[in-house]
Amino acid sequence: MLANVGTVGLVLGGGGVTGAAFHFGALLALEMATGWHPNDAEVVIGTSSGAFVGAMVRADAIHLDTFAGTGESREEIHQWLTGNLYRRGAPRGAVRWVRRGLLPAIRRPSLHVALASPGLYRTDGIREWVAEAAGDLAESWPAKPTAIVAYDVEARTRMPFGTEVAPDVALADAVAASSAVPFVYEPVRIGDRWYADGGLASGTSADLVLAHPEPLDLVLILAPLAATAPRRGGKFYEDMFDRVGRTALAAEVARIRGEWPTTEILVLRPDEHVLEDSRPNPMSVEAAIPTFLATLRSMKNELAHATVWSTLTTHLMGDLARP
């Protein structure tokens, strides 16, 4: 751990497989540039694919083998990712979906029609991935403040596992629940409750850092689904999801600034070059490694911006930044 660094809240937003690739690339680039280790963050907030990466941060497992396995060919990496992410399951839960998703949406139309929907895949592979990479930590919880955000299907509210309002769960179960993208994965049952992707509430939930008893020096937000401009030639739904992500994130940032006016906030998002590889399907395993590599290239320029580098040297580099 570097000496005399600031207190940092690390927020890892959702974004599918390519979102996780963006996180790995950005965090590795930050560590190479500054020497700051992501697990030195005072607080970690993870949602959806960011939940998986948050667990890897707390397990000190942010390295390429964690994300891509040990395969040497593109085909081997694709097979390894597919095996972890896409475990087939017989679609079930139609009655649950009608009762908790479809009928309420008919009465009051909203995106919550996806709640509790049957999925083609199970999150078992994601849970096993966490268990393999995190070891014993997967069955317990990190000692440092960590929130993994899922969505309570029945209560229709976010559930930040790892906080006082949430039941005690294993880290691997929380990640599996937070990763349960509607229509892709079955919801995850923990105790007597069903949980789905935390992104149904917000792609970032950055405001959860405010639960920390004292203001942090820096809140660092990685937001794969809050790009600032549409991708050239992108599908219509891409900018729709980004707009939703930007709107939620802007409200969360405003709340943090209102309550912690001295805290600096830095948001890192995919640029147009990263978007070319990560879209139009953020769930594509074929796009994972190209997105990771594009992120490394992008961060070389992003982190070098004068205002960004000033923020990083002030809060992440400690004594290394002093002459």
Side-chain angles (χ1 to χ4, degrees):
M1 182 175 179
L2 296 176
N4 298 316
V5 297
T7 54
V8 180
L10 177 61
V11 179
L12 302 162
V17 183
T18 61
F22 174 78
H23 288 318
F24 268 80
L27 291 175
L28 287 170
L30 278 165
E31 187 168 7
M32 288 187 287
T34 67
W36 178 77
H37 196 291
N39 197 22
D40 289 340
E42 180 69 19
V43 179
V44 171
I45 311 292
T47 302
S48 196
S49 60
F52 171 78
V53 179
M56 296 304 98
V57 166
R58 287 310 194 204
D60 284 323
I62 296 296
H63 45 74
L64 188 55
D65 286 354
T66 301
F67 182 66
T70 57
E72 296 185 0
S73 71
R74 181 177 300 180
E75 291 72 20
E76 288 174 327
I77 294 172
H78 292 172
Q79 289 174 4
W80 189 81
L81 285 170
T82 300
N84 284 324
L85 291 167
Y86 296 121
R87 299 280 180 89
R88 279 279 184 179
R92 55 188 178 181
V95 173
R96 177 188 64 231
W97 176 46
V98 169
R99 192 176 76 211
R100 295 176 178 166
L102 186 57
L103 287 179
I106 290 174
R107 300 187 191 104
R108 182 178 295 178
S110 75
L111 291 177
H112 290 120
V113 66
L115 283 178
S117 60
L120 292 174
Y121 304 101
R122 306 186 309 271
T123 56
D124 303 21
I126 296 174
R127 192 193 192 287
E128 291 175 16
W129 194 358
V130 175
E132 180 179 350
D136 292 342
L137 182 62
E139 304 304 328
S140 56
W141 200 265
K144 297 177 74 172
T146 305
I148 299 298
V149 186
Y151 192 86
D152 186 317
V153 169
E154 189 169 356
R156 295 192 169 212
T157 188
R158 70 181 178 185
M159 178 55 66
F161 291 113
T163 69
E164 293 180 353
V165 302
D168 291 336
V169 300
L171 181 62
D173 289 327
V175 171
S178 182
S179 304
V181 179
F183 295 115
V184 178
Y185 294 106
E186 294 179 357
V188 173
R189 189 177 182 90
I190 300 177
D192 62 351
R193 312 288 287 187
W194 289 97
Y195 298 98
D197 187 339
L200 286 164
S202 164
T204 44
S205 284
D207 58 307
L208 288 174
V209 299
L210 293 169
H212 194 265
E214 297 179 355
L216 299 167
D217 295 315
L218 171 67
V219 176
L220 176 59
I221 303 170
L222 277 61
L225 280 183
T228 55
R231 181 174 69 94
R232 185 178 303 173
K235 304 292 186 182
F236 75 93
Y237 56 81
E238 295 180 42
D239 190 49
M240 178 183 71
F241 283 118
D242 281 324
R243 284 200 306 270
V244 171
R246 288 195 303 269
T247 300
L249 178 56
E252 292 158 9
V253 166
R255 185 181 171 197
I256 296 169
R257 286 185 169 140
E259 297 194 29
W260 289 351
T262 62
T263 296
E264 288 201 68
I265 301 172
L266 176 61
V267 181
L268 298 178
R269 317 168 194 252
D271 65 13
E272 64 273 17
H273 302 295
V274 176
L275 292 177
E276 283 300 316
D277 287 307
S278 63
R279 307 282 176 89
N281 178 14
M283 300 301 291
S284 167
V285 298
E286 289 81 5
I289 297 304
T291 298
F292 170 79
L293 295 174
T295 301
L296 288 177
R297 292 191 293 268
S298 168
M299 286 297 141
K300 179 181 178 181
N301 297 321
E302 177 70 17
L303 302 184
H305 288 169
T307 54
V308 173
W309 186 244
S310 175
T311 299
L312 296 178
T313 55
T314 299
H315 299 295
L316 301 189
M317 297 180 69
D319 289 345
L320 284 181
R322 296 175 175 85

